[in-house]
Structures are given as C-alpha cells and as structure tokens.
Amino acid sequence: MSSNETAVSREIRETLKKLFPDLRFTRLQCGSVKVKGGFMHLSDPGWPDYIGYTPRGTFFGLEIKDPNGKTSKDRKELQH
C-alpha cells in the first residue's frame, strides 16, 4: 500500500468502486482556496474525507490517514 494520504485515498476510492459499484460517495475538501476575486470556503474542518450512501440509503463517512497520519486535537474534538 502507498505511504502518503493522497495515494492511500486514491487506492481506497478505486477499491470501493471496484468492489461496491452501487455505492455513491464523494471526496470532501476542507478549508478555503484562493479564487479570482477572493477565497472560496470549502467544507468545515472535522468532516470526513469521503461521505456517501449505500443503495439502501445508509449514510457513511470515511476518514483517510496515511500510516503515520495524525489528527489534530482540534479536529478530534470536532469529530466526536
């Protein structure tokens, strides 16, 4: 398996699509990005990397970490 979070996330996404083609999910990005004329707000901190639902309507969230990944104390508090 890959060692950085982006590569781990890509592998998980590809595996989910292959094994569970009926799952509906999307990747969330948190924070803000600079756009023409200012900044665009993305998802609030604390949301999982992926959110989705099963064909029966069950919601799920997936938080991705590389093998050495750590969650900040502030984010841990938001996720509880």
Side-chain angles (χ1 to χ4, degrees):
M1 182 171 260
S2 300
S3 61
N4 70 51
E5 189 173 321
T6 300
V8 170
S9 179
R10 185 179 315 113
E11 288 179 23
I12 289 171
R13 180 182 185 88
E14 290 170 4
T15 300
L16 284 174
K17 284 184 171 190
K18 185 177 181 181
L19 296 177
F20 306 102
D22 292 337
L23 283 182
R24 300 287 298 159
F25 62 94
T26 191
R27 173 123 169 104
L28 293 180
Q29 302 290 337
C30 294
S32 299
V33 293
K34 189 171 183 177
V35 295
K36 185 177 180 179
F39 287 87
M40 180 172 68
H41 175 74
L42 304 172
S43 299
D44 291 331
W47 279 89
D49 295 310
Y50 287 97
I51 60 169
Y53 57 91
T54 68
R56 297 180 80 183
T58 303
F59 175 83
F60 68 90
L62 217 69
E63 177 67 20
I64 309 296
K65 294 288 178 221
D66 67 49
N68 300 312
K70 295 180 181 173
T71 300
S72 70
K73 182 180 178 183
D74 293 343
R75 185 158 294 170
K76 277 184 186 179
E77 290 175 5
L78 287 169
Q79 292 173 336
H80 282 127

